[in-house]
Amino acid sequence: MSVIYQKVALIGLGLIAGSMAHAMRAGGLAGQISGYARSAETRDAVRQIGFCDDVTDSAVDAVRDADLVVLAVPVGAMETVTKEIAPMLAPGATVTDVGSVKADVMASIAPHLPDGVFFVPGHPLAGTEHSGPHSGFAELFEGKYVILTPEPDTDPAATARLRALWEGCGAMVEEMEAEHHDLVLAVTSHTPHLIAYTMVGVADHLRRVTESEVIKYSAAGFRDFTRIAASDPTMWRDVFLSNKEATLDILGRFTEELFVLQRAIRMGDGEALHDYFTKTRAIRRGIIEAGQDTDAPDFGRAPVKKDGPGT
Ligand code: NAP
C-alpha cells in the first residue's frame, strides 16, 4: 500500500491512537507518525513501545507540518487541545477526531480551526475495555466500521483521503450526519454501556451476592456486563455528557420496554415473553451475518482482545 499522508500527528496516545499507529505502520500508510500525550508517563511508554517515529513534549510540536492531525483524547478534552494546536496547523492539513460522539464534538472543534484546514470528523466503531498506550494493536479496525460525519460543504477530496487511510487500516467506511450517528450509537453502544454500569452497580449494592459469589458464578452473562462496565470512566463520563439528548431518548424507550416485560412476568404471560425473546434472537443472528461478531459459544470463551465492545 502507498503512503496516504506524509506526516500524521496523533494527539492523545491511548488505545485508539496506538492502534491507528500500529495499523498505519503495518500498511505503510504514513510517511512519518508524530505523537503527543499530556503525561510524561504515557510519552515515555510510547517512546519505549516505539509506535511513533517521534514523541513530542508539546501538542504544538507534534502537529507542525502534519498533513493529518488525529485528535484521540476523551470527548470532553477535544476543545482544549484544538485551541492549543490551532495556530500551528498548516493550510491544506486535515484535522479529524475519533470521538464516540459527533454533533457535540464537532461543535467544540470546528470554530477553532483556521481557514484552509479541512475538518473531517470520524468515529471508529471498534474498541476494547482496555485503555492506554499498551492496549493498542494493528488489527483493531479490521472488518469494523468507521463512520465519517463531514459537513455538506467539506472538501470531498479531504474526506476521500481520510477514507482511504481508514480502509488501509482494514476498516469499512460509511458517511452519515452527525445527529444520526449520535442516535444510532446511543442505541448500539452508549445506552448498553449505561445498562452494564447499572447492572454491575446493582450487584455491588447487593452485598449478599458480591465478592465471592458474583465472581464465582460470573460466567452466566453477568461476566460480559462486568467487562463492559470496566471501560474507562473518563471516556464514558464524557460520552454521556456529550450525547445527552439521544441517550436520554433511548433510555426512556428502554424503561418503557422494561415495564412491558416486568408486567408480562408479573401476569405470567409466557407467550408475550417468548414472542419478545424470539424477535431479539433474530437481531443477534443479523449481527453475526453482518460479520460484526462470531457465532462462537460465549460460555468458557477464551478472553481475546478482539472481542471487546466498540463504542
Ligand atoms: P485512552 O486509551 O484512555 O487514551 C486517551 C488519551 O488521551 C491518552 O493519551 C491521555 O493522555 C489523553 N488524555 C486524557 N485526558 C486528557 C485531557 N484532559 N487532555 C489531554 N489529553 C488527555 O482512550 P481511547 O480509548 O484511545 O479513546 C480516545 C478517544 O477515542 C475518545 O474520544 C473515545 O471516545 C474514542 N473512542 C474510544 C473507543 C474505545 O472503545 N475505547 C472506541 C472508539 C472511539 P495520558 O495517557 O497522558 O493521560
Side-chain angles (χ1 to χ4, degrees):
M1 215 163 289
S2 55
V3 169
I4 294 171
Y5 292 98
Q6 290 307 324
K7 178 179 170 183
V8 176
L10 301 170
I11 306 300
L13 296 171
L15 169 71
I16 300 296
S19 298
M20 284 184 79
H22 287 298
M24 287 189 289
R25 284 220 160 148
L29 307 172
Q32 184 196 343
I33 303 174
S34 284
Y36 166 76
R38 66 175 171 172
S39 72
E41 192 188 346
T42 298
R43 296 196 296 267
D44 286 347
V46 175
R47 285 181 185 117
Q48 272 203 329
I49 304 165
F51 62 67
C52 287
D53 297 302
D54 67 302
V55 177
T56 61
D57 288 335
S58 85
V60 167
D61 286 340
V63 306
R64 204 183 298 274
D65 299 324
D67 47 0
L68 178 68
V69 176
V70 182
L71 306 178
V73 295
V75 163
M78 294 282 184
E79 181 163 25
T80 310
V81 299
T82 307
K83 280 186 189 165
E84 195 182 335
I85 61 169
M88 194 47 72
L89 293 171
T94 294
V95 171
T96 188
D97 73 294
V98 294
S100 306
V101 177
K102 296 279 48 100
D104 205 63
V105 167
M106 287 162 69
S108 65
I109 294 174
H112 305 293
L113 296 179
D115 289 344
V117 167
F118 305 114
F119 180 34
V120 186
H123 176 204
L125 306 192
T128 74
E129 68 277 27
H130 301 292
S131 51
H134 292 282
S135 59
F137 55 105
E139 302 81 17
L140 179 66
F141 309 112
E142 265 174 26
K144 295 285 163 34
Y145 284 104
V146 169
I147 297 178
L148 301 180
T149 59
E151 297 280 19
D153 60 354
T154 306
D155 180 34
T159 305
R161 199 170 163 198
L162 185 63
R163 171 188 280 270
L165 181 85
W166 277 116
E167 286 174 350
C169 293
M172 303 178 289
V173 180
E174 302 236 323
E175 288 177 39
M176 65 175 72
E177 281 183 9
E179 287 73 17
H180 186 67
H181 164 279
D182 290 350
L183 184 65
V184 170
L185 267 291
V187 179
T188 58
S189 168
H190 304 169
T191 311
H193 271 78
L194 198 69
I195 293 164
Y197 279 121
T198 315
M199 195 57 228
V200 176
V202 168
D204 188 42
H205 285 134
L206 290 172
R207 293 285 168 207
R208 278 179 299 124
V209 292
T210 53
E211 302 299 335
S212 60
E213 279 177 310
V214 163
I215 291 162
K216 188 170 159 192
Y217 301 125
S218 65
F222 182 68
R223 189 189 60 177
D224 276 355
F225 277 115
T226 62
R227 181 168 57 80
I228 296 171
S231 300
D232 187 67
T234 304
M235 172 184 152
W236 283 96
R237 175 201 65 195
D238 288 0
V239 165
F240 292 118
L241 295 179
S242 305
N243 200 17
K244 194 170 174 176
E245 266 177 47
T247 309
L248 289 177
D249 177 16
I250 301 306
L251 210 53
R253 291 164 191 263
F254 174 80
T255 315
E256 286 168 21
E257 296 286 305
L258 200 60
F259 281 138
V260 168
L261 293 180
Q262 194 174 325
R263 185 175 162 76
I265 294 168
R266 191 184 305 287
M267 304 306 281
D269 189 349
E271 201 183 324
L273 292 173
H274 191 272
D275 285 354
Y276 200 99
F277 301 156
T278 304
K279 270 192 280 172
T280 54
R281 203 174 204 192
I283 293 197
R284 171 76 189 156
R285 266 200 302 274
I287 289 170
I288 291 162
E289 276 160 27
Q292 293 300 299
D293 203 354
T294 68
D295 203 9
D298 181 37
F299 299 113
R301 181 175 64 193
V304 195
K305 264 183 175 177
K306 279 176 91 173
D307 279 342
T311 61

